[in-house]
Amino acid sequence: APVSLRLEAVTLRGNAYRQLGNLPRCLQAMQRMEGEARREEERLPTQVAAFYSQQGRCHQELDQSTLANRLYMRSLQLRRKVGDDVGVAENLLDIAKMHAADGAPEVAVPILGDALAELRRKVGDRHPLVIDMLRSLCSLERNNDDLVAAERDCRASLALAQEMHGRDHRATVDARRQLAALFVDLGRFGEAEAEFLDAYAWMRARL
């Protein structure tokens, strides 16, 4: 099979192992293609950047931040070189999450805020990654006790998810549950109950 297809396949396999929580298998599968990925950076930057990002996530979830950061930065360089604006935003989201996991939310928030502003400027507001970035910002701000900013971004993520996907999409329900949890923190239990009941109705309908 062509190298491009093999890189895409092992990236998907690594993601599947990571989603299943089998991080050693993720790294084992991807390490076999490391040399080939490095050799193909110039010819296949899009596939190699995706490969590095996925490998970085597996390292990050094993608390190997130094290795993860090196892979994220290499992926970021490749994506900036080819003008992949969505890929750049995805890399910056990964880097922000890494800093947050390492106990440095004060580093994560501005990285994520700048990345979101850049993505909106270049791609527009109606993109699924904007929803994810707003939800991540809300989570970081909530952890920092910046509850006004957290509510703003949680509401924005829910509004965009509803606009793009409708009320019954998983992205909308996840954003609704996050907003409900924030309302609990704010002591606004009536609003929290309304959002939780809406999300619960969605889950019950699928049992």
Side-chain angles (χ1 to χ4, degrees):
V3 179
S4 59
L5 290 181
R6 287 191 283 123
L7 280 169
E8 289 173 2
V10 77
T11 300
L12 289 171
R13 195 177 311 128
N15 181 58
Y17 284 133
R18 184 175 65 85
Q19 296 290 343
L20 291 168
N22 196 338
L23 300 173
R25 285 294 298 276
C26 170
L27 293 178
Q28 183 181 36
M30 301 194 78
Q31 281 167 353
R32 297 178 187 138
M33 289 288 291
E34 274 183 0
E36 207 148 15
R38 283 194 295 271
R39 288 191 294 273
E40 297 292 346
E41 285 186 4
E42 290 297 321
R43 193 172 71 90
L44 300 169
T46 301
Q47 290 89 343
V48 173
F51 174 91
Y52 288 156
S53 289
Q54 187 56 59
Q55 194 177 24
R57 292 181 194 120
C58 291
H59 279 296
Q60 182 182 328
E61 291 188 22
L62 284 168
D63 297 323
Q64 297 169 347
S65 297
T66 301
L67 291 172
N69 188 59
R70 189 180 306 150
L71 289 159
Y72 290 153
M73 294 305 294
R74 189 60 190 137
S75 177
L76 181 62
Q77 289 170 354
L78 291 172
R79 284 170 165 169
R80 279 189 166 144
K81 188 175 179 180
V82 299
D84 180 0
D85 296 325
V86 173
V88 167
E90 180 187 272
N91 282 134
L92 293 172
L93 176 57
D94 282 330
I95 290 167
K97 286 180 176 178
M98 179 189 68
H99 285 300
D102 287 346
E106 72 282 358
V107 177
V109 169
I111 290 173
L112 192 49
D114 289 347
L116 177 58
E118 185 177 355
L119 181 65
R120 283 170 156 165
R121 191 166 53 249
K122 293 185 174 179
V123 179
D125 199 51
R126 289 177 57 83
H127 192 282
L129 190 58
V130 173
I131 300 169
D132 293 340
M133 295 175 86
L134 284 166
R135 291 195 62 217
S136 292
L137 267 176
C138 175
S139 178
L140 286 169
E141 290 156 347
R142 181 183 175 196
N143 290 340
N144 286 346
D145 291 325
D146 188 355
L147 300 183
V148 173
E151 182 178 355
R152 177 198 64 211
D153 290 327
C154 268
R155 284 188 179 278
S157 70
L158 176 57
L160 184 58
Q162 286 180 316
E163 181 185 338
M164 290 186 64
H165 303 302
R167 288 179 61 85
D168 293 332
H169 192 275
R170 179 61 184 264
T172 305
V173 174
D174 287 345
R176 190 179 301 285
R177 290 171 61 196
Q178 185 178 20
L179 181 59
L182 179 62
F183 284 148
V184 171
D185 288 352
L186 291 165
R188 288 153 57 181
F189 301 112
E191 291 171 276
E193 181 181 25
E195 299 294 352
F196 274 130
L197 287 174
D198 216 345
Y200 179 66
W202 179 88
M203 289 185 284
R204 280 206 63 180
R206 282 151 181 79
L207 292 177

